[in-house]
Amino acid sequence: MKEVKPVLSLYSYVDKCTFVTKNTKVGYDYMFKVPKNGYLILSPMGYGLGYLIRQKYMAYYNEEYLKQMCRVSMDCCIYFSNRPIKEGAKLELLGEHVSVDSIARINKCSPYEIVTLLNKNIKRIVI
């Protein structure tokens, strides 16, 4: 049987990178505590573009998986990094390192749900 390869990739960029200390509270109602000293990475991919507010996502940048830090907001998702990432740097949200299947498994939903919720206004490049 031939291996099936994903045909969808989704990328965003680092809008803001901010140093934070352990136990800093972030997100809506400051409900989430930062686990250790590091950097909050803000990506402008929120529920306005198809990420669900109560679901969990991850990003990938330069050999580091970035864990989501708090609930998705309308215009952004915040991740945690052990090191600073330059503003404007490209983040992989879905692709070679972050599969649709892995995001679906984390959220106990169908991969179909993940991709069909993406807003039609997201720029698409067909190759």
Side-chain angles (χ1 to χ4, degrees):
M1 183 193 236
K2 289 187 177 185
E3 183 180 334
V4 177
K5 294 184 180 180
V7 295
L8 171 77
S9 297
L10 177 64
Y11 297 93
S12 186
Y13 62 92
V14 175
D15 192 46
K16 185 95 173 138
C17 175
T18 305
F19 178 76
V20 289
T21 56
K22 181 179 179 178
N23 294 327
T24 299
K25 293 182 179 183
V26 297
Y28 286 133
D29 300 324
Y30 301 103
M31 291 175 42
F32 297 87
K33 285 185 183 179
V34 175
K36 60 185 177 179
N37 291 353
Y39 296 85
L40 293 182
I41 307 299
L42 188 139
S43 164
M45 180 66 183
Y47 61 77
L49 292 176
Y51 268 21
L52 292 179
I53 192 169
R54 296 200 190 323
Q55 286 195 336
K56 295 290 181 193
Y57 299 93
M58 69 177 91
Y60 181 84
Y61 176 78
N62 197 21
E63 300 182 9
E64 182 182 10
Y65 286 92
L66 309 175
K67 184 179 176 186
Q68 180 183 334
M69 281 282 58
C70 50
R71 281 188 188 167
V72 173
S73 69
M74 182 185 294
D75 295 323
C76 72
C77 192
I78 300 172
Y79 302 97
F80 181 83
S81 176
N82 293 311
R83 58 185 188 260
I85 301 175
K86 185 177 179 181
E87 292 177 7
K90 185 166 120 176
L91 297 175
E92 178 185 315
L93 303 181
L94 294 173
E96 181 181 351
H97 301 95
V98 181
S99 72
V100 173
D101 287 338
S102 65
I103 299 297
R105 246 187 329 277
I106 289 167
N107 291 291
K108 296 180 177 93
C109 68
S110 164
Y112 180 76
E113 185 178 356
I114 300 297
V115 298
T116 58
L117 288 171
L118 295 175
N119 190 296
K120 65 181 179 178
N121 294 322
I122 294 173
K123 181 180 176 183
R124 279 142 166 91
I125 301 171
V126 179
I127 47 176

